[in-house]
Amino acid sequence: MLGMVVFSLGCTVEASKLCFHLRQPWGVLVGLFCQFALMPLTAYLLATGFSVQPAQAVAIIIMGSCPGGVISNIITYWMDGDMDLSIVMTSCSTVLGLGMMPLCLYVYTHGWVEAGHITIPYLNMGLTLLTLVTPVACGVYVNYKWPETAKTILKVGSVVGGLLLLVVGIASALLYKGSWHADTSILIIGSVFPLIGYSAGFIIAVILRQPWQRCRTIAMETGAQNVQICSTVLQLSFPPEQLLLMFTFPLIYGTFQLLNGLLLVSVYQIYKRTYLRRKPDVSETNMAFEIDPQPVSSSTPNNGSILTPKSKSSS
């Protein structure tokens, strides 16, 4: 079912736009740094600071090491972000997750694994992620060969797959009733972790002088982790007695990442409707930090003036 959603996501990726971001990968690299360096480190610091149980700490690290989720694409759209960058980042992080998730677990969970006598099933995790990478590649190929068919697959697959995942999530929550007796520390971590990701991703993108549109996109991709992948990895990799302690966290994280995301969307939409409407002549191109240099062609007029590209507002 998760593969259906991921396949539909791959149908939105155009090969030409994918190649563009891969040829100019600065925005993608910034996002991947936040995804696989910032988030696992934050998860480790939160788990250490709140002194959670070993099984819960492993679940927190897995959540922090997951690739970007589909919800990040939706929130990015509502916040007028760079949709091409968002989809490319989600796809790239899913592919890189094959190696980065096991690596992050190996680096950050060593002490908890020994203390809790927990066995990290790296092979099962790798196979789970591999089954998710394949649908993404197939979706990109379908969109390249049959773009109209890809649009239909996107509409049907995303809706049907999303509903099936919702049913599975509810059924899993009912099956693991004991997991709902969560500690206060788990509730606190699950509520602040997504907001830390959103905020830190945006701040790092600003420091690295990315345009505002990309800053919002990188923020969403950083804070909105793929909860479905985390839940799938946990259920396919760990025995039921450990799942009672682990399964609560991705549910809490998923709930608060959605609530925090909707809060940020509301703030942005209010800002857009009040401040930006009063200044219709101000475009985000002019507010961007970086300006791409434009080569001067040989057909430049001889009157000494140089033609410059128009901004969005003038075009």
Side-chain angles (χ1 to χ4, degrees):
M1 296 173 187
L2 181 59
M4 181 185 299
V5 178
V6 176
F7 173 70
S8 303
L9 172 65
C11 288
T12 65
V13 180
E14 296 182 15
S16 59
K17 295 177 180 178
L18 177 63
C19 293
F20 170 79
H21 282 289
L22 293 179
R23 287 195 304 267
Q24 301 182 14
W26 185 236
V28 176
L29 292 177
V30 174
L32 292 178
F33 169 79
C34 295
Q35 190 86 56
F36 292 116
L38 176 66
M39 291 299 282
L41 177 60
T42 303
Y44 173 78
L45 294 176
L46 289 173
T48 303
F50 284 90
S51 301
V52 299
Q53 300 181 43
Q56 295 171 333
V58 171
I60 295 172
I61 300 298
I62 291 177
M63 188 75 259
S65 305
C66 278
V70 180
I71 192 174
S72 64
N73 308 129
I74 301 174
I75 299 177
T76 297
Y77 175 77
W78 286 340
M79 295 190 68
D80 297 331
D82 189 336
M83 283 303 297
D84 295 330
L85 176 62
S86 176
I87 294 172
V88 170
M89 280 183 57
T90 302
S91 303
C92 291
S93 63
T94 302
V95 174
L96 290 179
L98 281 169
M100 294 305 299
M101 281 188 68
L103 177 62
C104 292
L105 284 173
Y106 179 79
V107 171
Y108 289 112
T109 64
H110 183 70
W112 287 304
V113 166
E114 291 185 350
H117 303 287
I118 300 172
T119 301
I120 304 294
Y122 293 106
L123 179 60
N124 289 348
M125 290 177 56
L127 292 175
T128 302
L129 290 172
L130 184 61
T131 59
L132 298 177
V133 172
T134 304
V136 171
C138 294
V140 175
Y141 179 77
V142 169
N143 192 27
Y144 174 73
K145 295 290 290 185
W146 307 284
E148 294 301 322
T149 304
K151 293 179 181 179
T152 304
I153 293 175
L154 173 63
K155 293 178 181 178
V156 177
S158 58
V159 173
V160 175
L163 291 175
L164 290 175
L165 286 174
L166 179 62
V167 172
V168 171
I170 295 174
S172 301
L174 294 176
L175 287 174
Y176 297 103
K177 292 181 180 179
S179 64
W180 285 104
H181 301 291
D183 299 332
T184 305
S185 59
I186 294 297
L187 291 173
I188 296 175
I189 294 174
S191 61
V192 301
F193 195 5
L195 191 58
I196 292 175
Y198 291 136
S199 304
F202 184 82
I203 292 172
I204 290 177
V206 170
I207 293 174
L208 295 176
R209 303 178 66 83
Q210 294 296 293
W212 292 118
Q213 191 180 35
R214 287 189 179 184
C215 290
R216 295 194 297 269
T217 303
I218 292 172
M220 295 303 103
E221 288 293 326
T222 303
Q225 301 288 81
N226 198 320
V227 177
Q228 291 86 1
I229 286 183
C230 179
S231 302
T232 303
V233 168
L234 290 177
Q235 293 186 74
L236 295 181
S237 304
F238 294 95
E241 58 272 14
Q242 291 179 347
L243 276 176
L244 291 177
L245 296 173
M246 292 179 160
F247 195 73
T248 303
F249 185 75
L251 297 178
I252 296 174
Y253 185 97
T255 300
F256 279 98
Q257 85 170 3
L258 180 58
L259 293 177
N260 292 336
L262 293 177
L263 176 62
L264 293 174
V265 169
S266 301
V267 172
Y268 172 75
Q269 290 296 333
I270 293 173
Y271 165 79
K272 179 181 176 181
R273 283 168 170 75
T274 55
Y275 180 77
L276 292 184
R277 279 189 177 181
R278 277 180 274 162
K279 293 188 176 183
D281 57 325
V282 178
S283 66
E284 288 203 354
T285 303
N286 297 328
M287 292 190 294
F289 286 120
E290 62 179 0
I291 301 176
D292 295 331
Q294 299 291 334
V296 180
S297 64
S298 59
S299 60
T300 303
N302 295 326
N303 57 4
S305 63
I306 298 178
L307 297 178
T308 56
K310 296 181 179 179
S311 62
K312 289 182 180 178
S313 58
S314 61
S315 62

